[in-house]
Short mmCIF file of all heavy atoms in Angstrom, two decimals:
data_model
loop_
_atom_site.label_atom_id
_atom_site.label_comp_id
_atom_site.label_asym_id
_atom_site.label_seq_id
_atom_site.Cartn_x
_atom_site.Cartn_y
_atom_site.Cartn_z
N MET A 153 62.11 4.38 -16.12
CA MET A 153 61.01 5.21 -16.58
C MET A 153 59.69 4.73 -15.96
O MET A 153 59.39 3.55 -15.97
CB MET A 153 60.92 5.14 -18.10
CG MET A 153 60.46 6.46 -18.67
SD MET A 153 60.26 6.31 -20.39
CE MET A 153 61.59 7.35 -20.97
N MET A 154 58.96 5.67 -15.47
CA MET A 154 57.71 5.28 -14.83
C MET A 154 56.51 5.88 -15.54
O MET A 154 56.39 7.09 -15.68
CB MET A 154 57.72 5.74 -13.37
CG MET A 154 58.31 4.64 -12.49
SD MET A 154 58.67 5.15 -10.82
CE MET A 154 57.09 5.29 -10.10
N THR A 155 55.72 5.00 -16.00
CA THR A 155 54.50 5.46 -16.63
C THR A 155 53.35 5.33 -15.63
O THR A 155 52.84 4.25 -15.39
CB THR A 155 54.18 4.64 -17.90
OG1 THR A 155 54.51 3.29 -17.64
CG2 THR A 155 54.94 5.16 -19.08
N ASP A 156 53.06 6.41 -15.06
CA ASP A 156 52.01 6.40 -14.04
C ASP A 156 50.63 6.53 -14.68
O ASP A 156 50.15 7.60 -14.99
CB ASP A 156 52.27 7.55 -13.06
CG ASP A 156 51.51 7.31 -11.77
OD1 ASP A 156 51.60 6.20 -11.22
OD2 ASP A 156 50.84 8.23 -11.32
N LYS A 157 50.08 5.40 -14.85
CA LYS A 157 48.74 5.40 -15.46
C LYS A 157 47.70 5.03 -14.40
O LYS A 157 47.67 3.91 -13.90
CB LYS A 157 48.70 4.38 -16.61
CG LYS A 157 48.71 5.03 -17.97
CD LYS A 157 48.33 3.99 -18.99
CE LYS A 157 48.66 4.49 -20.40
NZ LYS A 157 48.53 3.40 -21.37
N THR A 158 46.89 5.96 -14.10
CA THR A 158 45.83 5.65 -13.16
C THR A 158 44.57 5.21 -13.91
O THR A 158 43.90 6.01 -14.54
CB THR A 158 45.50 6.87 -12.27
OG1 THR A 158 45.97 8.03 -12.89
CG2 THR A 158 46.06 6.71 -10.88
N ASN A 159 44.43 3.93 -13.87
CA ASN A 159 43.27 3.39 -14.57
C ASN A 159 42.00 3.61 -13.73
O ASN A 159 41.67 2.82 -12.86
CB ASN A 159 43.50 1.90 -14.81
CG ASN A 159 43.13 1.51 -16.23
OD1 ASN A 159 42.74 2.36 -17.04
ND2 ASN A 159 43.24 0.23 -16.53
N ASP A 160 41.34 4.66 -14.03
CA ASP A 160 40.15 4.99 -13.25
C ASP A 160 38.90 4.33 -13.84
O ASP A 160 38.31 4.80 -14.80
CB ASP A 160 39.98 6.51 -13.22
CG ASP A 160 39.02 6.91 -12.12
OD1 ASP A 160 39.35 6.72 -10.94
OD2 ASP A 160 37.93 7.39 -12.44
N LEU A 161 38.59 3.22 -13.25
CA LEU A 161 37.39 2.52 -13.70
C LEU A 161 36.19 2.91 -12.83
O LEU A 161 35.98 2.36 -11.77
CB LEU A 161 37.60 1.00 -13.62
CG LEU A 161 38.51 0.37 -14.68
CD1 LEU A 161 38.83 -1.07 -14.25
CD2 LEU A 161 37.87 0.37 -16.04
N SER A 162 35.50 3.87 -13.31
CA SER A 162 34.32 4.28 -12.55
C SER A 162 33.16 3.33 -12.87
O SER A 162 32.36 3.56 -13.75
CB SER A 162 33.94 5.72 -12.90
OG SER A 162 34.01 5.92 -14.29
N GLY A 163 33.21 2.23 -12.16
CA GLY A 163 32.18 1.20 -12.38
C GLY A 163 30.80 1.65 -11.93
O GLY A 163 30.42 1.47 -10.79
N ASP A 164 30.11 2.22 -12.84
CA ASP A 164 28.78 2.69 -12.51
C ASP A 164 27.75 1.61 -12.83
O ASP A 164 27.28 1.49 -13.95
CB ASP A 164 28.48 3.97 -13.29
CG ASP A 164 27.26 4.69 -12.74
OD1 ASP A 164 27.03 4.63 -11.51
OD2 ASP A 164 26.54 5.29 -13.54
N THR A 165 27.49 0.82 -11.83
CA THR A 165 26.52 -0.25 -12.03
C THR A 165 25.11 0.28 -11.80
O THR A 165 24.65 0.41 -10.68
CB THR A 165 26.80 -1.44 -11.07
OG1 THR A 165 27.13 -0.90 -9.80
CG2 THR A 165 27.90 -2.32 -11.59
N GLY A 166 24.50 0.63 -12.87
CA GLY A 166 23.15 1.18 -12.78
C GLY A 166 22.14 0.13 -12.41
O GLY A 166 21.60 -0.57 -13.25
N ARG A 167 21.93 0.04 -11.15
CA ARG A 167 21.01 -0.99 -10.68
C ARG A 167 19.56 -0.52 -10.76
O ARG A 167 19.25 0.58 -10.33
CB ARG A 167 21.34 -1.36 -9.24
CG ARG A 167 22.27 -2.55 -9.17
CD ARG A 167 22.13 -3.25 -7.86
NE ARG A 167 23.34 -4.03 -7.54
CZ ARG A 167 23.44 -4.74 -6.42
NH1 ARG A 167 22.48 -4.71 -5.56
NH2 ARG A 167 24.52 -5.44 -6.18
N MET A 168 18.73 -1.39 -11.26
CA MET A 168 17.32 -1.08 -11.32
C MET A 168 16.59 -1.80 -10.19
O MET A 168 15.86 -2.75 -10.38
CB MET A 168 16.74 -1.52 -12.66
CG MET A 168 17.41 -0.85 -13.85
SD MET A 168 16.89 0.86 -14.07
CE MET A 168 15.34 0.63 -14.92
N SER A 169 16.87 -1.34 -9.00
CA SER A 169 16.28 -2.02 -7.85
C SER A 169 15.04 -1.30 -7.33
O SER A 169 14.47 -1.66 -6.33
CB SER A 169 17.31 -2.15 -6.73
OG SER A 169 17.82 -0.88 -6.40
N SER A 170 14.66 -0.25 -8.06
CA SER A 170 13.49 0.49 -7.60
C SER A 170 12.21 -0.17 -8.11
O SER A 170 11.59 0.27 -9.06
CB SER A 170 13.56 1.94 -8.06
OG SER A 170 13.88 1.98 -9.43
N ASP A 171 11.89 -1.25 -7.46
CA ASP A 171 10.69 -1.99 -7.83
C ASP A 171 9.53 -1.48 -6.98
O ASP A 171 9.45 -1.77 -5.81
CB ASP A 171 10.93 -3.48 -7.59
CG ASP A 171 9.83 -4.32 -8.23
OD1 ASP A 171 9.54 -4.12 -9.42
OD2 ASP A 171 9.27 -5.17 -7.53
N ASN A 172 8.68 -0.74 -7.63
CA ASN A 172 7.63 -0.10 -6.86
C ASN A 172 6.35 -0.93 -6.74
O ASN A 172 5.25 -0.43 -6.88
CB ASN A 172 7.29 1.27 -7.47
CG ASN A 172 8.25 2.33 -6.96
OD1 ASN A 172 8.84 2.17 -5.89
ND2 ASN A 172 8.40 3.38 -7.72
N THR A 173 6.54 -2.18 -6.47
CA THR A 173 5.36 -3.00 -6.23
C THR A 173 5.17 -3.13 -4.73
O THR A 173 5.84 -3.90 -4.08
CB THR A 173 5.50 -4.38 -6.89
OG1 THR A 173 6.83 -4.82 -6.73
CG2 THR A 173 5.13 -4.32 -8.35
N ASP A 174 4.27 -2.35 -4.23
CA ASP A 174 4.04 -2.35 -2.79
C ASP A 174 3.04 -3.42 -2.40
O ASP A 174 2.09 -3.18 -1.70
CB ASP A 174 3.53 -0.97 -2.36
CG ASP A 174 4.58 0.09 -2.56
OD1 ASP A 174 5.77 -0.27 -2.55
OD2 ASP A 174 4.21 1.25 -2.71
N ARG A 175 3.30 -4.60 -2.88
CA ARG A 175 2.34 -5.67 -2.62
C ARG A 175 2.50 -6.26 -1.23
O ARG A 175 1.67 -7.06 -0.81
CB ARG A 175 2.48 -6.75 -3.68
CG ARG A 175 2.13 -6.21 -5.05
CD ARG A 175 1.45 -7.23 -5.90
NE ARG A 175 2.29 -8.40 -6.12
CZ ARG A 175 1.81 -9.61 -6.34
NH1 ARG A 175 0.53 -9.80 -6.36
NH2 ARG A 175 2.62 -10.61 -6.54
N ASP A 176 3.56 -5.86 -0.56
CA ASP A 176 3.71 -6.35 0.81
C ASP A 176 3.23 -5.33 1.82
O ASP A 176 3.41 -5.49 3.01
CB ASP A 176 5.16 -6.75 1.08
CG ASP A 176 6.13 -5.60 0.87
OD1 ASP A 176 5.73 -4.64 0.17
OD2 ASP A 176 7.24 -5.66 1.39
N CYS A 177 2.60 -4.28 1.29
CA CYS A 177 2.08 -3.25 2.17
C CYS A 177 0.55 -3.24 2.14
O CYS A 177 -0.06 -3.46 1.11
CB CYS A 177 2.60 -1.88 1.76
SG CYS A 177 4.33 -1.65 2.16
N CYS A 178 -0.02 -2.97 3.29
CA CYS A 178 -1.46 -2.92 3.40
C CYS A 178 -1.99 -1.67 2.69
O CYS A 178 -1.51 -0.57 2.93
CB CYS A 178 -1.84 -2.88 4.88
SG CYS A 178 -3.57 -2.57 5.18
N PRO A 179 -2.96 -1.83 1.78
CA PRO A 179 -3.49 -0.68 1.04
C PRO A 179 -4.33 0.24 1.91
O PRO A 179 -4.64 1.36 1.49
CB PRO A 179 -4.34 -1.33 -0.06
CG PRO A 179 -4.71 -2.67 0.46
CD PRO A 179 -3.58 -3.10 1.37
N LEU A 180 -4.67 -0.21 3.09
CA LEU A 180 -5.50 0.60 3.97
C LEU A 180 -4.68 1.45 4.93
O LEU A 180 -4.97 2.61 5.16
CB LEU A 180 -6.47 -0.29 4.76
CG LEU A 180 -7.50 -1.05 3.90
CD1 LEU A 180 -8.36 -1.92 4.80
CD2 LEU A 180 -8.35 -0.11 3.08
N CYS A 181 -3.64 0.87 5.50
CA CYS A 181 -2.84 1.63 6.48
C CYS A 181 -1.39 1.80 6.04
O CYS A 181 -0.64 2.56 6.64
CB CYS A 181 -2.91 0.95 7.85
SG CYS A 181 -2.04 -0.61 7.92
N GLY A 182 -0.98 1.10 4.99
CA GLY A 182 0.38 1.24 4.48
C GLY A 182 1.41 0.43 5.25
O GLY A 182 2.59 0.47 4.93
N GLY A 183 0.94 -0.29 6.24
CA GLY A 183 1.86 -1.11 7.03
C GLY A 183 2.09 -2.47 6.37
O GLY A 183 1.45 -2.79 5.37
N PRO A 184 3.02 -3.24 6.90
CA PRO A 184 3.29 -4.58 6.37
C PRO A 184 2.09 -5.49 6.55
O PRO A 184 1.51 -5.55 7.63
CB PRO A 184 4.49 -5.05 7.18
CG PRO A 184 4.48 -4.24 8.43
CD PRO A 184 3.86 -2.93 8.07
N ASN A 185 1.71 -6.17 5.48
CA ASN A 185 0.52 -7.02 5.57
C ASN A 185 0.83 -8.43 6.04
O ASN A 185 -0.06 -9.21 6.33
CB ASN A 185 -0.23 -7.04 4.23
CG ASN A 185 0.66 -7.49 3.08
OD1 ASN A 185 1.67 -8.14 3.29
ND2 ASN A 185 0.28 -7.14 1.89
N GLY A 186 2.12 -8.74 6.11
CA GLY A 186 2.52 -10.05 6.63
C GLY A 186 2.02 -11.20 5.78
O GLY A 186 1.78 -12.28 6.29
N CYS A 187 1.90 -10.95 4.49
CA CYS A 187 1.39 -11.99 3.61
C CYS A 187 2.47 -13.05 3.36
O CYS A 187 3.59 -12.70 3.02
CB CYS A 187 0.93 -11.38 2.29
SG CYS A 187 0.25 -12.58 1.15
N ALA A 188 2.12 -14.30 3.54
CA ALA A 188 3.09 -15.38 3.37
C ALA A 188 3.50 -15.52 1.92
O ALA A 188 4.64 -15.87 1.62
CB ALA A 188 2.50 -16.68 3.89
N ILE A 189 2.57 -15.24 1.01
CA ILE A 189 2.86 -15.39 -0.41
C ILE A 189 3.94 -14.39 -0.83
O ILE A 189 4.87 -14.73 -1.55
CB ILE A 189 1.59 -15.19 -1.25
CG1 ILE A 189 0.51 -16.17 -0.79
CG2 ILE A 189 1.86 -15.39 -2.73
CD1 ILE A 189 -0.89 -15.79 -1.23
N GLU A 190 3.80 -13.16 -0.34
CA GLU A 190 4.77 -12.13 -0.68
C GLU A 190 6.12 -12.43 -0.06
O GLU A 190 7.16 -12.01 -0.57
CB GLU A 190 4.27 -10.76 -0.20
CG GLU A 190 3.16 -10.21 -1.07
CD GLU A 190 3.57 -10.11 -2.53
OE1 GLU A 190 4.65 -9.59 -2.81
OE2 GLU A 190 2.81 -10.58 -3.39
N ALA A 191 6.10 -13.14 1.06
CA ALA A 191 7.35 -13.48 1.74
C ALA A 191 7.97 -14.74 1.16
O ALA A 191 9.01 -15.19 1.61
CB ALA A 191 7.10 -13.65 3.24
N GLY A 192 7.29 -15.31 0.16
CA GLY A 192 7.82 -16.50 -0.49
C GLY A 192 7.54 -17.77 0.27
O GLY A 192 8.24 -18.77 0.11
N ARG A 193 6.51 -17.71 1.13
CA ARG A 193 6.19 -18.91 1.90
C ARG A 193 4.91 -19.56 1.37
O ARG A 193 4.27 -19.04 0.48
CB ARG A 193 6.06 -18.56 3.39
CG ARG A 193 7.40 -18.36 4.04
CD ARG A 193 7.27 -18.07 5.51
NE ARG A 193 7.13 -16.63 5.74
CZ ARG A 193 6.16 -16.10 6.47
NH1 ARG A 193 5.26 -16.85 7.03
NH2 ARG A 193 6.10 -14.80 6.64
N GLU A 194 4.55 -20.64 1.99
CA GLU A 194 3.36 -21.37 1.57
C GLU A 194 2.10 -20.54 1.78
O GLU A 194 1.99 -19.82 2.77
CB GLU A 194 3.25 -22.67 2.39
CG GLU A 194 4.33 -23.69 2.08
CD GLU A 194 4.11 -24.37 0.73
OE1 GLU A 194 3.03 -24.93 0.52
OE2 GLU A 194 5.03 -24.32 -0.10
N VAL A 195 1.20 -20.68 0.84
CA VAL A 195 -0.06 -19.95 0.95
C VAL A 195 -0.80 -20.38 2.21
O VAL A 195 -1.42 -19.57 2.90
CB VAL A 195 -0.94 -20.24 -0.28
CG1 VAL A 195 -2.23 -19.43 -0.24
CG2 VAL A 195 -0.20 -19.95 -1.56
N GLU A 196 -0.68 -21.67 2.53
CA GLU A 196 -1.39 -22.21 3.68
C GLU A 196 -0.89 -21.62 4.99
O GLU A 196 -1.60 -21.63 5.99
CB GLU A 196 -1.23 -23.74 3.73
CG GLU A 196 -2.09 -24.48 2.72
CD GLU A 196 -1.53 -24.38 1.30
OE1 GLU A 196 -0.31 -24.19 1.17
OE2 GLU A 196 -2.31 -24.48 0.35
N SER A 197 0.34 -21.09 4.97
CA SER A 197 0.89 -20.55 6.20
C SER A 197 0.51 -19.09 6.40
O SER A 197 0.88 -18.48 7.39
CB SER A 197 2.42 -20.69 6.20
OG SER A 197 2.99 -19.84 5.22
N CYS A 198 -0.23 -18.52 5.45
CA CYS A 198 -0.61 -17.12 5.56
C CYS A 198 -1.76 -16.96 6.55
O CYS A 198 -2.66 -17.79 6.62
CB CYS A 198 -1.02 -16.57 4.20
SG CYS A 198 -1.19 -14.78 4.18
N TRP A 199 -1.69 -15.88 7.29
CA TRP A 199 -2.71 -15.65 8.31
C TRP A 199 -4.10 -15.48 7.70
O TRP A 199 -5.11 -15.79 8.32
CB TRP A 199 -2.35 -14.40 9.13
CG TRP A 199 -2.33 -13.15 8.29
CD1 TRP A 199 -1.25 -12.60 7.66
CD2 TRP A 199 -3.44 -12.32 7.98
NE1 TRP A 199 -1.64 -11.50 6.96
CE2 TRP A 199 -2.97 -11.29 7.15
CE3 TRP A 199 -4.80 -12.34 8.31
CZ2 TRP A 199 -3.81 -10.29 6.65
CZ3 TRP A 199 -5.63 -11.34 7.82
CH2 TRP A 199 -5.13 -10.33 7.00
N CYS A 200 -4.14 -15.00 6.46
CA CYS A 200 -5.43 -14.71 5.84
C CYS A 200 -6.19 -15.99 5.47
O CYS A 200 -7.38 -15.94 5.17
CB CYS A 200 -5.24 -13.82 4.62
SG CYS A 200 -4.39 -14.61 3.25
N MET A 201 -5.49 -17.11 5.48
CA MET A 201 -6.17 -18.37 5.17
C MET A 201 -6.94 -18.87 6.38
O MET A 201 -7.82 -19.71 6.28
CB MET A 201 -5.14 -19.44 4.75
CG MET A 201 -4.39 -19.06 3.51
SD MET A 201 -5.44 -18.70 2.10
CE MET A 201 -5.36 -20.22 1.21
N ARG A 202 -6.58 -18.34 7.53
CA ARG A 202 -7.21 -18.81 8.77
C ARG A 202 -8.20 -17.80 9.32
O ARG A 202 -8.88 -18.06 10.29
CB ARG A 202 -6.14 -19.08 9.82
CG ARG A 202 -5.58 -20.49 9.72
CD ARG A 202 -4.29 -20.61 10.50
NE ARG A 202 -3.14 -20.66 9.58
CZ ARG A 202 -1.90 -20.32 9.92
NH1 ARG A 202 -1.67 -19.87 11.12
NH2 ARG A 202 -0.94 -20.40 9.07
N ARG A 203 -8.22 -16.63 8.73
CA ARG A 203 -9.11 -15.62 9.26
C ARG A 203 -10.05 -15.09 8.18
O ARG A 203 -9.62 -14.81 7.06
CB ARG A 203 -8.30 -14.45 9.81
CG ARG A 203 -9.12 -13.65 10.82
CD ARG A 203 -8.34 -12.47 11.32
NE ARG A 203 -7.11 -12.86 12.03
CZ ARG A 203 -6.30 -11.96 12.55
NH1 ARG A 203 -6.56 -10.69 12.46
NH2 ARG A 203 -5.21 -12.34 13.17
N ALA A 204 -11.29 -14.97 8.55
CA ALA A 204 -12.27 -14.43 7.61
C ALA A 204 -12.18 -12.91 7.64
O ALA A 204 -12.14 -12.28 8.69
CB ALA A 204 -13.66 -14.88 8.01
N ILE A 205 -12.12 -12.34 6.44
CA ILE A 205 -12.03 -10.88 6.35
C ILE A 205 -13.42 -10.33 6.00
O ILE A 205 -14.05 -10.78 5.04
CB ILE A 205 -11.00 -10.47 5.28
CG1 ILE A 205 -9.62 -11.04 5.66
CG2 ILE A 205 -10.93 -8.95 5.15
CD1 ILE A 205 -8.60 -10.97 4.55
N GLY A 206 -13.86 -9.39 6.81
CA GLY A 206 -15.19 -8.84 6.62
C GLY A 206 -15.38 -8.19 5.28
O GLY A 206 -14.45 -7.61 4.72
N GLU A 207 -16.59 -8.31 4.77
CA GLU A 207 -16.87 -7.76 3.45
C GLU A 207 -16.78 -6.25 3.45
O GLU A 207 -16.42 -5.63 2.44
CB GLU A 207 -18.27 -8.19 2.99
CG GLU A 207 -18.21 -9.50 2.21
CD GLU A 207 -19.57 -9.89 1.65
OE1 GLU A 207 -20.21 -9.04 1.04
OE2 GLU A 207 -19.96 -11.05 1.86
N ASP A 208 -17.11 -5.64 4.59
CA ASP A 208 -17.03 -4.19 4.68
C ASP A 208 -15.57 -3.73 4.66
O ASP A 208 -15.26 -2.63 4.19
CB ASP A 208 -17.75 -3.68 5.93
CG ASP A 208 -17.26 -4.37 7.19
OD1 ASP A 208 -16.84 -5.55 7.10
OD2 ASP A 208 -17.29 -3.74 8.26
N VAL A 209 -14.69 -4.59 5.19
CA VAL A 209 -13.26 -4.27 5.16
C VAL A 209 -12.74 -4.38 3.74
O VAL A 209 -12.02 -3.50 3.25
CB VAL A 209 -12.47 -5.21 6.10
CG1 VAL A 209 -10.98 -4.91 6.03
CG2 VAL A 209 -12.97 -5.06 7.54
N LEU A 210 -13.14 -5.44 3.07
CA LEU A 210 -12.71 -5.64 1.68
C LEU A 210 -13.23 -4.54 0.78
O LEU A 210 -12.58 -4.13 -0.18
CB LEU A 210 -13.22 -7.00 1.18
CG LEU A 210 -12.47 -8.23 1.71
CD1 LEU A 210 -13.19 -9.50 1.25
CD2 LEU A 210 -11.03 -8.27 1.25
N ALA A 211 -14.41 -4.04 1.12
CA ALA A 211 -15.01 -2.99 0.30
C ALA A 211 -14.26 -1.68 0.42
O ALA A 211 -14.34 -0.81 -0.46
CB ALA A 211 -16.46 -2.80 0.72
N SER A 212 -13.51 -1.52 1.52
CA SER A 212 -12.77 -0.28 1.71
C SER A 212 -11.42 -0.29 1.01
O SER A 212 -10.72 0.72 0.98
CB SER A 212 -12.59 -0.01 3.21
OG SER A 212 -11.89 -1.07 3.81
N VAL A 213 -11.08 -1.45 0.45
CA VAL A 213 -9.83 -1.54 -0.32
C VAL A 213 -10.08 -0.94 -1.70
O VAL A 213 -11.08 -1.26 -2.34
CB VAL A 213 -9.38 -3.01 -0.44
CG1 VAL A 213 -8.11 -3.11 -1.28
CG2 VAL A 213 -9.14 -3.62 0.93
N PRO A 214 -9.22 -0.06 -2.15
CA PRO A 214 -9.37 0.52 -3.49
C PRO A 214 -9.51 -0.57 -4.55
O PRO A 214 -8.79 -1.56 -4.53
CB PRO A 214 -8.08 1.31 -3.69
CG PRO A 214 -7.60 1.62 -2.32
CD PRO A 214 -8.06 0.48 -1.44
N LEU A 215 -10.43 -0.34 -5.48
CA LEU A 215 -10.71 -1.34 -6.51
C LEU A 215 -9.47 -1.77 -7.28
O LEU A 215 -9.32 -2.94 -7.63
CB LEU A 215 -11.74 -0.76 -7.49
CG LEU A 215 -13.20 -1.19 -7.27
CD1 LEU A 215 -14.11 -0.50 -8.27
CD2 LEU A 215 -13.34 -2.71 -7.40
N SER A 216 -8.57 -0.83 -7.53
CA SER A 216 -7.38 -1.13 -8.31
C SER A 216 -6.44 -2.08 -7.58
O SER A 216 -5.58 -2.70 -8.19
CB SER A 216 -6.65 0.17 -8.66
OG SER A 216 -6.33 0.87 -7.48
N LEU A 217 -6.61 -2.13 -6.25
CA LEU A 217 -5.72 -2.97 -5.46
C LEU A 217 -6.40 -4.23 -4.98
O LEU A 217 -5.75 -5.14 -4.48
CB LEU A 217 -5.21 -2.19 -4.24
CG LEU A 217 -4.28 -1.02 -4.55
CD1 LEU A 217 -4.10 -0.15 -3.32
CD2 LEU A 217 -2.93 -1.52 -5.04
N ARG A 218 -7.71 -4.27 -5.14
CA ARG A 218 -8.45 -5.41 -4.65
C ARG A 218 -8.05 -6.69 -5.37
O ARG A 218 -7.98 -6.72 -6.59
CB ARG A 218 -9.96 -5.16 -4.81
CG ARG A 218 -10.75 -5.78 -3.68
CD ARG A 218 -12.20 -5.40 -3.78
NE ARG A 218 -12.42 -3.99 -3.47
CZ ARG A 218 -13.61 -3.39 -3.59
NH1 ARG A 218 -14.64 -4.07 -4.00
NH2 ARG A 218 -13.74 -2.13 -3.28
N GLY A 219 -7.79 -7.73 -4.62
CA GLY A 219 -7.41 -9.00 -5.21
C GLY A 219 -5.96 -9.05 -5.63
O GLY A 219 -5.48 -10.06 -6.11
N ARG A 220 -5.23 -7.93 -5.47
CA ARG A 220 -3.82 -7.91 -5.85
C ARG A 220 -2.94 -7.68 -4.65
O ARG A 220 -1.84 -8.20 -4.57
CB ARG A 220 -3.59 -6.79 -6.88
CG ARG A 220 -4.55 -6.87 -8.04
CD ARG A 220 -4.36 -5.70 -8.98
NE ARG A 220 -3.27 -5.94 -9.90
CZ ARG A 220 -2.40 -5.02 -10.28
NH1 ARG A 220 -2.50 -3.81 -9.80
NH2 ARG A 220 -1.47 -5.28 -11.13
N THR A 221 -3.41 -6.86 -3.74
CA THR A 221 -2.63 -6.55 -2.55
C THR A 221 -3.37 -7.02 -1.31
O THR A 221 -4.57 -6.78 -1.16
CB THR A 221 -2.39 -5.04 -2.46
OG1 THR A 221 -1.85 -4.59 -3.68
CG2 THR A 221 -1.42 -4.72 -1.34
N CYS A 222 -2.65 -7.65 -0.44
CA CYS A 222 -3.24 -8.11 0.82
C CYS A 222 -3.32 -6.97 1.82
O CYS A 222 -2.50 -6.05 1.79
CB CYS A 222 -2.39 -9.24 1.41
SG CYS A 222 -2.48 -10.79 0.50
N ILE A 223 -4.30 -7.04 2.67
CA ILE A 223 -4.35 -6.08 3.76
C ILE A 223 -3.71 -6.72 4.98
O ILE A 223 -3.43 -7.92 4.98
CB ILE A 223 -5.79 -5.64 4.07
CG1 ILE A 223 -6.66 -6.84 4.41
CG2 ILE A 223 -6.39 -4.88 2.89
CD1 ILE A 223 -8.06 -6.44 4.88
N CYS A 224 -3.44 -5.92 5.99
CA CYS A 224 -2.75 -6.44 7.16
C CYS A 224 -3.75 -7.03 8.17
O CYS A 224 -4.94 -6.71 8.11
CB CYS A 224 -1.89 -5.35 7.80
SG CYS A 224 -2.85 -4.09 8.66
N PRO A 225 -3.28 -7.87 9.09
CA PRO A 225 -4.17 -8.49 10.06
C PRO A 225 -4.97 -7.48 10.86
O PRO A 225 -6.13 -7.72 11.19
CB PRO A 225 -3.21 -9.28 10.96
CG PRO A 225 -2.02 -9.54 10.12
CD PRO A 225 -1.89 -8.34 9.23
N ALA A 226 -4.36 -6.35 11.18
CA ALA A 226 -5.03 -5.35 11.99
C ALA A 226 -6.23 -4.76 11.25
O ALA A 226 -7.32 -4.61 11.82
CB ALA A 226 -4.05 -4.25 12.38
N CYS A 227 -6.05 -4.47 9.98
CA CYS A 227 -7.14 -3.91 9.19
C CYS A 227 -8.17 -4.98 8.88
O CYS A 227 -9.37 -4.69 8.79
CB CYS A 227 -6.61 -3.31 7.89
SG CYS A 227 -5.71 -1.77 8.13
N ALA A 228 -7.72 -6.22 8.73
CA ALA A 228 -8.65 -7.31 8.44
C ALA A 228 -9.59 -7.52 9.62
O ALA A 228 -10.74 -7.91 9.45
CB ALA A 228 -7.88 -8.58 8.15
N ALA A 229 -9.08 -7.22 10.81
CA ALA A 229 -9.90 -7.37 12.00
C ALA A 229 -10.90 -6.24 12.11
O ALA A 229 -11.84 -6.29 12.91
CB ALA A 229 -9.00 -7.41 13.24
N GLY A 230 -10.69 -5.21 11.31
CA GLY A 230 -11.62 -4.09 11.29
C GLY A 230 -11.56 -3.24 12.54
O GLY A 230 -12.48 -2.51 12.85
N GLY A 231 -10.45 -3.33 13.26
CA GLY A 231 -10.33 -2.57 14.50
C GLY A 231 -9.91 -1.14 14.24
O GLY A 231 -8.74 -0.82 14.17
N LYS A 232 -10.87 -0.29 14.03
CA LYS A 232 -10.54 1.10 13.75
C LYS A 232 -11.60 2.01 14.32
O LYS A 232 -12.77 1.73 14.16
CB LYS A 232 -10.44 1.33 12.25
CG LYS A 232 -9.40 2.42 11.98
CD LYS A 232 -9.37 2.67 10.49
CE LYS A 232 -8.08 3.43 10.12
NZ LYS A 232 -8.06 3.77 8.72
ZN1 ZN B 47 -3.53 -2.45 7.44
#
């Protein structure tokens, strides 16, 4: 006698990987900001520690993102 039981385990692993923290993106151009902190590296190794960012560039960053999201080297250079 054969009991054909198809054990259908529909393993629906509802992953919550949609983390919408775009902290690794430049708020000005949307590109990667290359921030060492976001990459899990030393703060000292970040490019922004070695380069002065113009006040006019910082002023163009939306207030809600200022101090929370890094801008990218290209935008920091103000080359636009
Ligand atoms: Zn940028």
Side-chain angles (χ1 to χ4, degrees):
M153 214 184 248
M154 270 169 73
T155 39
D156 199 49
K157 254 194 194 169
T158 19
N159 225 2
D160 196 66
L161 286 168
S162 44
D164 194 33
T165 41
R167 266 204 203 180
M168 301 284 279
S169 56
S170 48
D171 192 50
N172 276 336
T173 39
D174 294 335
R175 297 215 299 152
D176 58 340
C177 288
C178 171
L180 296 179
C181 70
N185 56 21
C187 181
I189 304 162
E190 285 304 312
R193 283 182 271 128
E194 292 286 305
V195 184
E196 284 76 25
S197 68
C198 192
W199 63 267
C200 67
M201 298 304 260
R202 273 165 254 156
R203 202 183 298 180
I205 300 167
E207 270 184 49
D208 54 330
V209 178
L210 285 173
S212 60
V213 178
L215 262 178
S216 57
L217 292 168
R218 214 174 290 175
R220 308 175 83 220
T221 308
C222 289
I223 58 173
C224 72
C227 288
K232 212 183 197 184

